[in-house]
Amino acid sequence: MLTQKIRTKENKQSYGFLRWSENSHIEQREITSFISIGRDTENIITLDDPCISRRHCRIQKKENEGFILQDMDSRNGTFLNNNRVIKALLKNNDRIQIGNKEFTFSFERFDNHWHIHTKSKNPDWNQQLETLSNMAKSNMPVLITGPSGTGKEMLAKLIHRYSHRSKNPMISINCSALSESLIESEFFGHVKGSYTGALNSRKGAFMAAKGGSLFLDEIGDLPLHLQPKLLRALEYQEIKAVGSDYVTKTDVRIIAATHQSLAAKVAQNTFRSDLYFRLHVLSLSPPHLRDRMEDFDDLLHFFCNEYNISFSPKAIGLLKQHPWPGNIRELKNTVARAKALFSGTVVATDKIKQLLYTPILTMEKQTEAFKALQMPVIKKIEKDLIIKAMTLHSGNQKKVAAELQLPKSTLSEKIRKYDINPKEYKN
């Protein structure tokens, strides 16, 4: 590859930040005057990578010019947006590759609100989060499944933000918030006069997100008759606007999310299996807050800093006893409510009852719901779902548990209960 010198227009932004992934979380450093990068410990950023030179490159802030990336005669070169460079003026969200490490340059400080979602003290969830960086670099579809309020949209934004598509838009569509008559137009656009009220032509989300990411929230609510059209758009990367005879090529990365079990909807014939498999290439499954209480103190501390409010130790103890049916969203709203009601004070135990809403299901209703699950018909459906998932994943119980959103211990218990032999489903 030829080394090239890239010249760009002047960019006189006052602040510059460099961020990169390190041990499953995001590191960030402000460039006040210059930053040097290399293997040598005298560099400001030291990286243990044999593909990186001792003094590999530097970024310098020059008054009236901007932030300049300079290769320091490195052995393997410095790359800017996949082009090898000697010297170049940096632009917002430029990607710098040296050795096996990729950095992102930005004029804005990395928001800690994102950072709270990139690591966890819960081993199972942190294991998933460790794949986030590589997942972001891929173009494959991502399916995010989990209860409401667990941060699925934030994860989608993180995936987009750290992808090579981050310079282009991420467009979000909530599939449950649109009427069936409008959702096709929202996806694919329409031409003038294609239906009553279509006074002008309009491009849909696929074209608006060109070069970027399309986030399909609550994909489980997508009407069945529209699923083949979405499947075609994903498989052939082409769409046809409502009322148009012409096919248009698309370039988007799909990120979908749902609080429902799509595997169960497939079994009930309310979601197409081919679309499900097309979406379910990469996946994340954020757990209930009550299942990752190791992170509770960090999350509470973060939201308390955001709203400038604090809780007494005993009050925090009471908060930890709450089941948090609304998950992280409920915790954030609780802290916001504390700020509105008790600003300027330390929230004590006697205030907690005012802050927490009664869980949606009372204990009596939970008992009734549990009894209903023992009905023979429900048992049959549950067993069939496990068998379908076992067939799909060749008896891999870890994947089956993730698919059905069950703790592995619960799945093992149900396998024994229904006398299912996982070995029968191995290839």
Side-chain angles (χ1 to χ4, degrees):
M1 180 184 291
L2 295 176
T3 301
Q4 56 180 313
K5 183 173 181 177
I6 294 181
R7 298 182 183 275
T8 62
K9 295 179 180 179
E10 287 190 351
N11 200 329
K12 301 177 183 178
Q13 294 283 342
S14 300
Y15 300 97
F17 301 89
L18 204 61
R19 63 178 182 267
W20 66 99
S21 176
E22 191 73 46
N23 296 326
S24 80
H25 64 276
I26 306 300
E27 297 285 351
Q28 175 179 246
R29 183 176 287 273
E30 183 176 359
I31 307 169
T32 52
S33 56
F34 79 93
I35 278 181
S36 57
I37 306 173
R39 283 200 342 268
D40 198 299
T41 55
E42 292 184 1
N43 290 290
I44 293 176
I45 298 177
T46 303
L47 299 171
D48 185 16
D49 183 344
C51 297
I52 294 176
S53 298
R54 294 176 65 83
R55 295 177 67 249
H56 198 103
C57 66
R58 64 183 279 152
I59 300 172
Q60 185 172 5
K61 179 181 178 181
K62 291 194 174 182
E63 193 171 350
N64 298 323
E65 288 188 50
F67 293 86
I68 309 297
L69 172 66
Q70 171 104 40
D71 183 74
M72 307 297 288
D73 296 323
S74 65
R75 182 175 69 254
N76 294 320
T78 299
F79 293 80
L80 180 64
N81 302 322
N82 298 320
N83 296 301
R84 188 168 183 172
V85 299
I86 297 172
K87 187 176 183 180
L89 181 66
L90 292 174
K91 304 187 298 299
N92 196 40
N93 287 327
D94 270 343
R95 292 178 297 114
I96 302 165
Q97 301 101 0
I98 64 171
N100 295 308
K101 183 66 71 176
E102 179 170 295
F103 297 84
T104 300
F105 173 81
S106 175
F107 294 130
E108 298 178 356
R109 183 181 296 276
F110 175 68
D111 188 350
N112 279 334
H113 190 76
W114 305 76
H115 183 63
I116 199 70
H117 291 277
T118 62
K119 61 180 180 179
S120 172
K121 292 177 181 176
N122 177 276
D124 292 338
W125 178 224
N126 196 62
Q127 188 175 26
Q128 291 191 61
L129 289 175
E130 287 176 345
T131 68
L132 196 65
S133 178
N134 287 335
M135 196 176 288
K137 295 173 186 175
S138 169
N139 261 327
M140 295 179 180
V142 181
L143 180 61
I144 307 174
T145 59
S148 296
T150 51
K152 296 188 291 296
E153 184 171 3
M154 186 63 69
L155 290 168
K157 289 178 179 178
L158 274 170
I159 291 168
H160 174 73
R161 184 164 183 158
Y162 294 108
S163 73
H164 68 277
R165 295 175 172 270
S166 60
K167 292 183 178 181
N168 296 309
M170 172 176 156
I171 303 297
S172 299
I173 288 187
N174 189 320
C175 298
S176 66
L178 296 171
S179 66
E180 290 194 21
S181 60
L182 290 178
I183 196 165
E184 185 175 1
S185 174
E186 287 293 324
F187 273 7
F188 309 124
H190 63 256
V191 298
K192 182 179 179 180
S194 57
Y195 58 87
T196 304
L199 303 179
N200 297 292
S201 295
R202 181 180 182 275
K203 66 181 181 180
F206 270 85
M207 294 309 296
K210 187 175 182 180
S213 303
L214 179 56
F215 176 53
L216 304 178
D217 198 9
E218 297 303 344
I219 188 68
D221 292 328
L222 184 67
L224 193 60
H225 73 274
L226 283 177
Q227 293 178 21
K229 294 182 179 181
L230 176 59
L231 178 64
R232 179 178 177 81
L234 300 184
E235 288 190 335
Y236 298 102
Q237 297 183 346
E238 61 184 29
I239 60 169
K240 185 186 289 186
V242 177
S244 174
D245 295 326
Y246 300 99
V247 168
T248 304
K249 283 292 183 182
T250 65
D251 175 23
V252 296
R253 198 262 181 95
I254 298 294
I255 307 171
T258 179
H259 71 281
Q260 304 178 66
S261 169
L262 291 189
K265 290 182 73 69
V266 169
Q268 296 160 6
N269 295 318
T270 56
F271 200 88
R272 291 179 61 107
S273 61
D274 46 6
L275 177 58
Y276 169 68
F277 292 125
R278 190 68 182 79
L279 292 170
H280 195 188
V281 180
L282 302 174
S283 63
L284 285 170
S285 298
H288 286 279
L289 176 56
R290 62 175 177 265
D291 293 331
R292 51 175 291 204
M293 289 300 287
E294 302 96 325
D295 296 325
F296 185 86
D297 287 335
D298 290 340
L299 290 165
L300 178 63
H301 179 71
F302 173 79
F303 292 130
C304 284
N305 280 343
E306 183 176 347
Y307 289 101
N308 193 25
I309 190 76
S310 59
F311 293 78
S312 72
K314 288 186 177 179
I316 294 174
L318 286 181
L319 290 176
K320 288 180 178 179
Q321 295 175 27
H322 185 63
W324 299 106
N327 298 297
I328 297 175
R329 182 187 294 130
E330 183 187 3
L331 176 60
K332 180 180 180 180
N333 291 344
T334 298
V335 176
R337 196 177 303 121
K339 173 65 176 179
L341 297 177
F342 310 117
S343 180
T345 65
V346 175
V347 181
T349 54
D350 60 331
K351 304 293 192 299
I352 296 300
K353 190 174 181 180
Q354 293 175 252
L355 296 177
L356 295 176
Y357 290 130
T358 304
I360 296 170
L361 287 180
T362 64
M363 285 305 296
E364 182 181 353
K365 288 184 178 178
Q366 287 181 27
T367 302
E368 291 174 2
F370 178 79
K371 287 179 179 177
L373 287 175
Q374 309 312 304
M375 294 167 53
V377 175
I378 301 297
K379 285 184 177 182
K380 173 89 167 49
I381 293 174
E382 188 175 56
K383 181 177 180 180
D384 288 346
L385 285 174
I386 294 173
I387 289 174
K388 282 180 181 289
M390 280 285 178
T391 304
L392 174 64
H393 296 294
S394 303
N396 186 315
Q397 293 185 50
K398 185 176 181 181
K399 291 182 178 180
V400 170
E403 180 77 33
L404 299 177
Q405 299 180 32
L406 291 173
K408 194 169 179 298
S409 58
T410 302
L411 176 65
S412 299
E413 187 178 307
K414 291 182 182 296
I415 286 173
R416 288 193 297 271
K417 176 182 176 181
Y418 295 129
D419 196 24
I420 298 172
N421 184 2
K423 293 180 181 179
E424 293 180 2
Y425 301 93
K426 292 186 177 181
N427 292 332

Short mmCIF file of all heavy atoms in Angstrom, two decimals, residues 236-283:
data_model
loop_
_atom_site.label_atom_id
_atom_site.label_comp_id
_atom_site.label_asym_id
_atom_site.label_seq_id
_atom_site.Cartn_x
_atom_site.Cartn_y
_atom_site.Cartn_z
N TYR A 236 -31.62 -8.63 0.25
CA TYR A 236 -31.17 -8.13 -1.05
C TYR A 236 -30.67 -6.69 -1.00
O TYR A 236 -30.22 -6.16 -2.01
CB TYR A 236 -32.31 -8.23 -2.07
CG TYR A 236 -32.75 -9.66 -2.31
CD1 TYR A 236 -33.91 -10.16 -1.72
CD2 TYR A 236 -31.98 -10.51 -3.09
CE1 TYR A 236 -34.31 -11.47 -1.92
CE2 TYR A 236 -32.37 -11.83 -3.30
CZ TYR A 236 -33.54 -12.30 -2.71
OH TYR A 236 -33.92 -13.61 -2.91
N GLN A 237 -30.76 -6.07 0.18
CA GLN A 237 -30.32 -4.69 0.37
C GLN A 237 -30.95 -3.77 -0.68
O GLN A 237 -30.28 -2.94 -1.31
CB GLN A 237 -28.79 -4.60 0.32
CG GLN A 237 -28.13 -5.37 1.44
CD GLN A 237 -26.62 -5.24 1.44
OE1 GLN A 237 -26.03 -4.79 0.48
NE2 GLN A 237 -26.01 -5.62 2.54
N GLU A 238 -32.24 -3.92 -0.84
CA GLU A 238 -32.98 -3.07 -1.76
C GLU A 238 -34.41 -2.91 -1.26
O GLU A 238 -34.95 -3.78 -0.57
CB GLU A 238 -32.97 -3.64 -3.18
CG GLU A 238 -33.61 -5.00 -3.31
CD GLU A 238 -33.49 -5.59 -4.72
OE1 GLU A 238 -32.50 -5.25 -5.40
OE2 GLU A 238 -34.38 -6.36 -5.11
N ILE A 239 -35.00 -1.76 -1.58
CA ILE A 239 -36.35 -1.46 -1.14
C ILE A 239 -37.14 -0.87 -2.30
O ILE A 239 -36.58 -0.41 -3.30
CB ILE A 239 -36.37 -0.47 0.04
CG1 ILE A 239 -35.71 0.84 -0.37
CG2 ILE A 239 -35.71 -1.05 1.27
CD1 ILE A 239 -35.90 1.97 0.61
N LYS A 240 -38.46 -0.85 -2.13
CA LYS A 240 -39.34 -0.21 -3.10
C LYS A 240 -40.30 0.67 -2.30
O LYS A 240 -41.04 0.20 -1.45
CB LYS A 240 -40.11 -1.25 -3.90
CG LYS A 240 -40.95 -0.64 -5.02
CD LYS A 240 -41.83 -1.70 -5.69
CE LYS A 240 -40.98 -2.65 -6.52
NZ LYS A 240 -41.85 -3.60 -7.29
N ALA A 241 -40.28 1.98 -2.59
CA ALA A 241 -41.16 2.91 -1.89
C ALA A 241 -42.61 2.60 -2.22
O ALA A 241 -42.92 2.08 -3.30
CB ALA A 241 -40.82 4.35 -2.28
N VAL A 242 -43.51 2.91 -1.28
CA VAL A 242 -44.94 2.69 -1.50
C VAL A 242 -45.39 3.50 -2.72
O VAL A 242 -45.14 4.70 -2.83
CB VAL A 242 -45.76 3.13 -0.27
CG1 VAL A 242 -47.25 2.98 -0.53
CG2 VAL A 242 -45.35 2.32 0.96
N GLY A 243 -46.02 2.82 -3.69
CA GLY A 243 -46.50 3.48 -4.88
C GLY A 243 -45.48 3.61 -6.00
O GLY A 243 -45.79 4.14 -7.06
N SER A 244 -44.25 3.11 -5.77
CA SER A 244 -43.20 3.21 -6.78
C SER A 244 -43.01 1.88 -7.50
O SER A 244 -43.25 0.81 -6.94
CB SER A 244 -41.88 3.63 -6.12
OG SER A 244 -40.83 3.61 -7.06
N ASP A 245 -42.58 1.96 -8.76
CA ASP A 245 -42.26 0.76 -9.53
C ASP A 245 -40.76 0.48 -9.54
O ASP A 245 -40.32 -0.48 -10.17
CB ASP A 245 -42.75 0.92 -10.98
CG ASP A 245 -44.26 1.02 -11.05
OD1 ASP A 245 -44.93 0.37 -10.23
OD2 ASP A 245 -44.78 1.77 -11.91
N TYR A 246 -39.98 1.33 -8.88
CA TYR A 246 -38.54 1.24 -8.96
C TYR A 246 -37.93 0.72 -7.66
O TYR A 246 -38.37 1.08 -6.56
CB TYR A 246 -37.93 2.61 -9.29
CG TYR A 246 -38.42 3.17 -10.61
CD1 TYR A 246 -39.44 4.12 -10.63
CD2 TYR A 246 -37.89 2.72 -11.81
CE1 TYR A 246 -39.91 4.62 -11.84
CE2 TYR A 246 -38.35 3.22 -13.03
CZ TYR A 246 -39.36 4.17 -13.03
OH TYR A 246 -39.82 4.66 -14.22
N VAL A 247 -36.91 -0.10 -7.81
CA VAL A 247 -36.18 -0.65 -6.67
C VAL A 247 -34.96 0.23 -6.41
O VAL A 247 -34.27 0.65 -7.33
CB VAL A 247 -35.74 -2.10 -6.97
CG1 VAL A 247 -34.74 -2.57 -5.92
CG2 VAL A 247 -36.95 -3.02 -6.99
N THR A 248 -34.71 0.51 -5.12
CA THR A 248 -33.57 1.35 -4.72
C THR A 248 -32.65 0.54 -3.82
O THR A 248 -33.11 -0.13 -2.89
CB THR A 248 -34.06 2.59 -3.96
OG1 THR A 248 -35.00 3.30 -4.77
CG2 THR A 248 -32.90 3.51 -3.63
N LYS A 249 -31.35 0.61 -4.08
CA LYS A 249 -30.37 -0.08 -3.25
C LYS A 249 -30.22 0.65 -1.91
O LYS A 249 -30.30 1.88 -1.84
CB LYS A 249 -29.01 -0.13 -3.96
CG LYS A 249 -28.92 -1.18 -5.05
CD LYS A 249 -28.96 -2.59 -4.44
CE LYS A 249 -28.80 -3.68 -5.49
NZ LYS A 249 -28.89 -5.02 -4.88
N THR A 250 -29.98 -0.11 -0.86
CA THR A 250 -29.82 0.46 0.48
C THR A 250 -28.45 0.10 1.05
O THR A 250 -27.80 -0.83 0.57
CB THR A 250 -30.90 -0.04 1.44
OG1 THR A 250 -30.74 -1.46 1.64
CG2 THR A 250 -32.28 0.26 0.90
N ASP A 251 -28.05 0.83 2.07
CA ASP A 251 -26.80 0.54 2.78
C ASP A 251 -26.99 0.91 4.25
O ASP A 251 -26.69 2.02 4.67
CB ASP A 251 -25.65 1.34 2.17
CG ASP A 251 -24.35 1.17 2.94
OD1 ASP A 251 -24.21 0.15 3.64
OD2 ASP A 251 -23.48 2.07 2.87
N VAL A 252 -27.55 -0.02 5.02
CA VAL A 252 -27.77 0.22 6.45
C VAL A 252 -27.36 -1.00 7.24
O VAL A 252 -27.34 -2.12 6.73
CB VAL A 252 -29.25 0.54 6.77
CG1 VAL A 252 -29.69 1.83 6.11
CG2 VAL A 252 -30.17 -0.61 6.39
N ARG A 253 -27.02 -0.77 8.50
CA ARG A 253 -26.75 -1.85 9.44
C ARG A 253 -27.97 -1.94 10.37
O ARG A 253 -28.36 -0.93 10.98
CB ARG A 253 -25.48 -1.53 10.24
CG ARG A 253 -24.84 -2.74 10.93
CD ARG A 253 -25.21 -2.88 12.38
NE ARG A 253 -24.55 -4.03 12.98
CZ ARG A 253 -23.40 -3.99 13.65
NH1 ARG A 253 -22.78 -2.83 13.83
NH2 ARG A 253 -22.87 -5.08 14.16
N ILE A 254 -28.57 -3.10 10.49
CA ILE A 254 -29.79 -3.28 11.28
C ILE A 254 -29.45 -3.66 12.71
O ILE A 254 -28.69 -4.60 12.97
CB ILE A 254 -30.70 -4.35 10.66
CG1 ILE A 254 -31.15 -3.94 9.26
CG2 ILE A 254 -31.91 -4.59 11.56
CD1 ILE A 254 -32.04 -2.74 9.21
N ILE A 255 -30.04 -2.92 13.66
CA ILE A 255 -30.00 -3.27 15.08
C ILE A 255 -31.46 -3.33 15.52
O ILE A 255 -32.20 -2.35 15.37
CB ILE A 255 -29.23 -2.23 15.91
CG1 ILE A 255 -27.83 -1.98 15.32
CG2 ILE A 255 -29.12 -2.68 17.36
CD1 ILE A 255 -27.09 -0.82 15.96
N ALA A 256 -31.89 -4.47 16.01
CA ALA A 256 -33.29 -4.65 16.43
C ALA A 256 -33.34 -4.96 17.92
O ALA A 256 -32.38 -5.51 18.48
CB ALA A 256 -33.95 -5.77 15.63
N ALA A 257 -34.46 -4.60 18.54
CA ALA A 257 -34.62 -4.85 19.97
C ALA A 257 -36.06 -5.24 20.27
O ALA A 257 -36.99 -4.83 19.56
CB ALA A 257 -34.23 -3.62 20.79
N THR A 258 -36.23 -6.03 21.31
CA THR A 258 -37.57 -6.42 21.75
C THR A 258 -37.52 -6.90 23.19
O THR A 258 -36.50 -7.42 23.65
CB THR A 258 -38.15 -7.54 20.87
OG1 THR A 258 -39.45 -7.89 21.35
CG2 THR A 258 -37.27 -8.78 20.89
N HIS A 259 -38.63 -6.70 23.90
CA HIS A 259 -38.73 -7.25 25.26
C HIS A 259 -39.42 -8.62 25.22
O HIS A 259 -39.54 -9.28 26.25
CB HIS A 259 -39.52 -6.31 26.17
CG HIS A 259 -40.99 -6.27 25.87
ND1 HIS A 259 -41.51 -5.55 24.83
CD2 HIS A 259 -42.04 -6.87 26.47
CE1 HIS A 259 -42.82 -5.71 24.80
NE2 HIS A 259 -43.17 -6.51 25.77
N GLN A 260 -39.86 -9.04 24.03
CA GLN A 260 -40.56 -10.31 23.89
C GLN A 260 -39.58 -11.42 23.48
O GLN A 260 -38.48 -11.15 23.00
CB GLN A 260 -41.64 -10.20 22.81
CG GLN A 260 -42.64 -9.07 23.07
CD GLN A 260 -43.66 -8.96 21.96
OE1 GLN A 260 -44.47 -9.86 21.76
NE2 GLN A 260 -43.62 -7.87 21.22
N SER A 261 -40.01 -12.66 23.66
CA SER A 261 -39.23 -13.79 23.17
C SER A 261 -39.63 -14.06 21.72
O SER A 261 -40.74 -14.54 21.45
CB SER A 261 -39.49 -15.03 24.02
OG SER A 261 -38.94 -16.18 23.41
N LEU A 262 -38.76 -13.72 20.79
CA LEU A 262 -39.08 -13.95 19.38
C LEU A 262 -39.17 -15.44 19.08
O LEU A 262 -39.92 -15.86 18.20
CB LEU A 262 -38.04 -13.28 18.48
CG LEU A 262 -38.04 -11.75 18.47
CD1 LEU A 262 -37.11 -11.23 17.38
CD2 LEU A 262 -39.43 -11.19 18.29
N ALA A 263 -38.40 -16.25 19.81
CA ALA A 263 -38.48 -17.70 19.62
C ALA A 263 -39.89 -18.20 19.94
O ALA A 263 -40.45 -19.04 19.23
CB ALA A 263 -37.45 -18.41 20.49
N ALA A 264 -40.48 -17.64 21.01
CA ALA A 264 -41.84 -18.03 21.37
C ALA A 264 -42.83 -17.56 20.31
O ALA A 264 -43.77 -18.28 19.96
CB ALA A 264 -42.21 -17.43 22.73
N LYS A 265 -42.62 -16.36 19.76
CA LYS A 265 -43.51 -15.84 18.73
C LYS A 265 -43.39 -16.67 17.45
O LYS A 265 -44.38 -16.87 16.73
CB LYS A 265 -43.21 -14.37 18.45
CG LYS A 265 -43.60 -13.44 19.60
CD LYS A 265 -43.34 -11.99 19.27
CE LYS A 265 -44.33 -11.44 18.26
NZ LYS A 265 -45.68 -11.30 18.80
N VAL A 266 -42.19 -17.15 17.16
CA VAL A 266 -42.02 -18.05 16.01
C VAL A 266 -42.82 -19.32 16.23
O VAL A 266 -43.52 -19.81 15.32
CB VAL A 266 -40.53 -18.37 15.78
CG1 VAL A 266 -40.36 -19.50 14.77
CG2 VAL A 266 -39.77 -17.13 15.29
N ALA A 267 -42.74 -19.87 17.45
CA ALA A 267 -43.48 -21.10 17.76
C ALA A 267 -44.99 -20.88 17.67
O ALA A 267 -45.75 -21.80 17.34
CB ALA A 267 -43.11 -21.58 19.16
N GLN A 268 -45.43 -19.65 17.94
CA GLN A 268 -46.87 -19.33 17.88
C GLN A 268 -47.30 -18.85 16.49
O GLN A 268 -48.45 -18.44 16.30
CB GLN A 268 -47.18 -18.24 18.92
CG GLN A 268 -46.95 -18.69 20.35
CD GLN A 268 -46.80 -17.52 21.31
OE1 GLN A 268 -46.97 -16.36 20.94
NE2 GLN A 268 -46.46 -17.82 22.56
N ASN A 269 -46.35 -18.86 15.54
CA ASN A 269 -46.62 -18.43 14.16
C ASN A 269 -47.04 -16.96 14.06
O ASN A 269 -47.81 -16.58 13.18
CB ASN A 269 -47.70 -19.32 13.51
CG ASN A 269 -47.23 -20.75 13.35
OD1 ASN A 269 -46.08 -21.00 12.97
ND2 ASN A 269 -48.10 -21.71 13.67
N THR A 270 -46.54 -16.14 14.96
CA THR A 270 -46.80 -14.70 14.89
C THR A 270 -45.55 -13.92 14.48
O THR A 270 -45.59 -12.69 14.40
CB THR A 270 -47.32 -14.16 16.23
OG1 THR A 270 -46.39 -14.48 17.27
CG2 THR A 270 -48.68 -14.78 16.56
N PHE A 271 -44.45 -14.64 14.26
CA PHE A 271 -43.23 -14.01 13.76
C PHE A 271 -42.54 -15.00 12.83
O PHE A 271 -42.41 -16.18 13.17
CB PHE A 271 -42.28 -13.62 14.91
CG PHE A 271 -41.26 -12.58 14.53
CD1 PHE A 271 -41.56 -11.23 14.65
CD2 PHE A 271 -40.01 -12.95 14.05
CE1 PHE A 271 -40.63 -10.25 14.30
CE2 PHE A 271 -39.07 -11.99 13.69
CZ PHE A 271 -39.40 -10.64 13.82
N ARG A 272 -42.13 -14.53 11.68
CA ARG A 272 -41.55 -15.42 10.67
C ARG A 272 -40.19 -15.95 11.12
O ARG A 272 -39.33 -15.18 11.56
CB ARG A 272 -41.38 -14.68 9.34
CG ARG A 272 -42.68 -14.33 8.65
CD ARG A 272 -42.39 -13.58 7.36
NE ARG A 272 -41.60 -14.39 6.44
CZ ARG A 272 -42.10 -14.94 5.33
NH1 ARG A 272 -43.38 -14.77 5.02
NH2 ARG A 272 -41.33 -15.64 4.54
N SER A 273 -40.00 -17.24 10.98
CA SER A 273 -38.73 -17.84 11.40
C SER A 273 -37.58 -17.36 10.53
O SER A 273 -36.46 -17.14 11.02
CB SER A 273 -38.83 -19.37 11.36
OG SER A 273 -39.12 -19.83 10.05
N ASP A 274 -37.82 -17.16 9.20
CA ASP A 274 -36.72 -16.72 8.34
C ASP A 274 -36.25 -15.31 8.69
O ASP A 274 -35.05 -15.01 8.65
CB ASP A 274 -37.10 -16.82 6.85
CG ASP A 274 -38.48 -16.26 6.54
OD1 ASP A 274 -39.11 -15.68 7.45
OD2 ASP A 274 -38.93 -16.40 5.38
N LEU A 275 -37.19 -14.44 9.06
CA LEU A 275 -36.81 -13.09 9.49
C LEU A 275 -36.08 -13.16 10.83
O LEU A 275 -35.09 -12.45 11.05
CB LEU A 275 -38.04 -12.20 9.60
CG LEU A 275 -37.80 -10.77 10.11
CD1 LEU A 275 -36.80 -10.03 9.23
CD2 LEU A 275 -39.10 -10.00 10.20
N TYR A 276 -36.56 -14.01 11.71
CA TYR A 276 -35.91 -14.18 13.01
C TYR A 276 -34.45 -14.59 12.84
O TYR A 276 -33.54 -14.00 13.45
CB TYR A 276 -36.66 -15.22 13.83
CG TYR A 276 -35.93 -15.66 15.08
CD1 TYR A 276 -35.75 -14.78 16.14
CD2 TYR A 276 -35.42 -16.95 15.20
CE1 TYR A 276 -35.07 -15.17 17.29
CE2 TYR A 276 -34.76 -17.35 16.33
CZ TYR A 276 -34.58 -16.45 17.38
OH TYR A 276 -33.91 -16.84 18.51
N PHE A 277 -34.19 -15.58 12.00
CA PHE A 277 -32.81 -16.03 11.81
C PHE A 277 -31.97 -14.98 11.09
O PHE A 277 -30.76 -14.90 11.30
CB PHE A 277 -32.80 -17.35 11.02
CG PHE A 277 -33.36 -18.50 11.79
CD1 PHE A 277 -34.40 -19.26 11.29
CD2 PHE A 277 -32.87 -18.83 13.04
CE1 PHE A 277 -34.94 -20.32 12.00
CE2 PHE A 277 -33.38 -19.89 13.76
CZ PHE A 277 -34.42 -20.64 13.24
N ARG A 278 -32.62 -14.16 10.25
CA ARG A 278 -31.89 -13.10 9.55
C ARG A 278 -31.46 -12.00 10.52
O ARG A 278 -30.38 -11.41 10.37
CB ARG A 278 -32.77 -12.50 8.44
CG ARG A 278 -32.02 -11.56 7.51
CD ARG A 278 -31.02 -12.34 6.68
NE ARG A 278 -30.23 -11.49 5.79
CZ ARG A 278 -29.19 -10.75 6.16
NH1 ARG A 278 -28.80 -10.77 7.42
NH2 ARG A 278 -28.53 -10.02 5.30
N LEU A 279 -32.29 -11.74 11.52
CA LEU A 279 -31.97 -10.71 12.51
C LEU A 279 -31.04 -11.21 13.59
O LEU A 279 -30.19 -10.47 14.10
CB LEU A 279 -33.26 -10.20 13.17
CG LEU A 279 -34.24 -9.40 12.31
CD1 LEU A 279 -35.54 -9.21 13.07
CD2 LEU A 279 -33.63 -8.05 11.92
N HIS A 280 -31.18 -12.49 13.95
CA HIS A 280 -30.47 -13.04 15.09
C HIS A 280 -29.11 -13.61 14.66
O HIS A 280 -28.86 -14.80 14.77
CB HIS A 280 -31.33 -14.13 15.75
CG HIS A 280 -30.85 -14.50 17.12
ND1 HIS A 280 -31.36 -15.55 17.82
CD2 HIS A 280 -29.91 -13.95 17.91
CE1 HIS A 280 -30.75 -15.65 18.98
NE2 HIS A 280 -29.86 -14.68 19.05
N VAL A 281 -28.24 -12.70 14.20
CA VAL A 281 -26.87 -13.10 13.85
C VAL A 281 -25.96 -12.83 15.04
O VAL A 281 -25.24 -13.70 15.52
CB VAL A 281 -26.39 -12.33 12.60
CG1 VAL A 281 -24.97 -12.75 12.24
CG2 VAL A 281 -27.34 -12.58 11.43
N LEU A 282 -25.97 -11.60 15.52
CA LEU A 282 -25.28 -11.24 16.77
C LEU A 282 -26.36 -10.86 17.78
O LEU A 282 -27.42 -10.37 17.41
CB LEU A 282 -24.33 -10.05 16.53
CG LEU A 282 -23.26 -10.25 15.46
CD1 LEU A 282 -22.50 -8.95 15.24
CD2 LEU A 282 -22.31 -11.37 15.85
N SER A 283 -26.09 -11.08 19.06
CA SER A 283 -27.14 -10.80 20.04
C SER A 283 -26.57 -10.34 21.38
O SER A 283 -25.44 -10.66 21.75
CB SER A 283 -28.00 -12.05 20.26
OG SER A 283 -27.23 -13.11 20.81
#
